[in-house]
Amino acid sequence: MSYDLKKKLVIAISSRALFDLEDENKMFEKKGLKKYYKYQIKNENKLLKRGAAFDFVKNILHINKHFDDKLIEVIVLSRNNAATGLRIKNSIDKYKLNVERAGWTAGTPISNYLKAFDVDLFLSAHEEDVQEAINVGIAAARIIPKKYKKDAKRKDVHIAFDGDAVLFSDQSEKIYKKHGLEAFVKHEKKNAKNPLPKGPFAKLLKVISKIQKKFPMEKAPIKTSLITARDFATFERVIRTFDAWDVRVDEAFFLGGVEKRRVVKSFKADIFFDDQDVHLDKTSKKTPSAKVPYKR
């Protein structure tokens, strides 16, 4: 029988999101593909530094230790040529990451292959790849390449989400942008008993919730948080939405415009997903953060 990924949480990640390849990327942009290839092959045994999403990947793979049949699959999908993949493979081995699958597209859009791998989440530093993934209905986000201090050893994973345009559709957000806060709150109160339409990360939250339900609530290895700029007046519709979706969110913060950065940091998020640069520019200073683009 072939290996079935449909019952797993499948995370596809680019090599530049997993490892710090910013200097190599600058070389590629300035000196071209040939020089980049030669450099990577020459340095195949030189350990790559941890990238912005490294600790998230490491911690979420740790969950597999609870099961004989692992639930989490991480797949490296890269636009690079396979010849440069040896350095990536060697670094994965040295860090002892349990990554068993990879794909090298040599410039072909990665979005062409995401559904073939039953991907639930795609993380990349390449904006075009992320946009194409969102367009075909895959939860995807552009990781903001930054260096972070080594994560202290933890036994769980903390994932934080914005609400509108991430977990929920941008329908309500459009009302706010067009008609203002008062109209937005009025609309949400009027529709309090109507679940919000699903956003690009709703399916991912459902998959995570299925894993959480395999554990007692206080011992689940994945902890989730909603960190939204909505105020408490819109609370009812959000909570009824999660109930209708049959998903669990462990913590929820309705900030009413208060800055998200300190709450995200206090939650000790391994990664934070939002759709707005105004929040991500601040959260990414201390917390790995990723931008969710609008579907086009």
Side-chain angles (χ1 to χ4, degrees), residues 131-175:
Q131 184 65 61
E132 289 171 349
I134 284 284
N135 292 346
V136 298
I138 303 290
R142 179 179 63 81
I143 198 81
I144 298 171
K146 294 222 175 161
K147 297 177 182 179
Y148 298 98
K149 292 180 181 179
K150 188 175 182 180
D151 183 34
K153 288 185 177 180
R154 264 206 342 244
K155 294 182 179 180
D156 57 2
V157 181
H158 291 195
I159 305 174
F161 302 93
D162 177 35
D164 295 291
V166 179
L167 291 179
F168 318 129
S169 80
D170 63 348
Q171 182 186 87
S172 295
E173 189 172 277
K174 286 178 179 177
I175 293 172

Side-chain angles (χ1 to χ4, degrees), residues 3 30 33 50 74 100 105 110 120 126 147 153 161 165 182 200 235 242 264-265 271-272 278 286:
Y3 191 76
K30 290 180 179 180
L33 192 59
R50 298 151 50 254
V74 173
E100 299 178 346
T105 71
I110 289 174
D120 296 298
H126 194 277
K147 297 177 182 179
K153 288 185 177 180
F161 302 93
E182 187 176 339
F235 176 80
F242 290 146
V264 171
K265 183 183 176 184
I271 194 164
F272 172 58
V278 67
K286 296 292 182 181

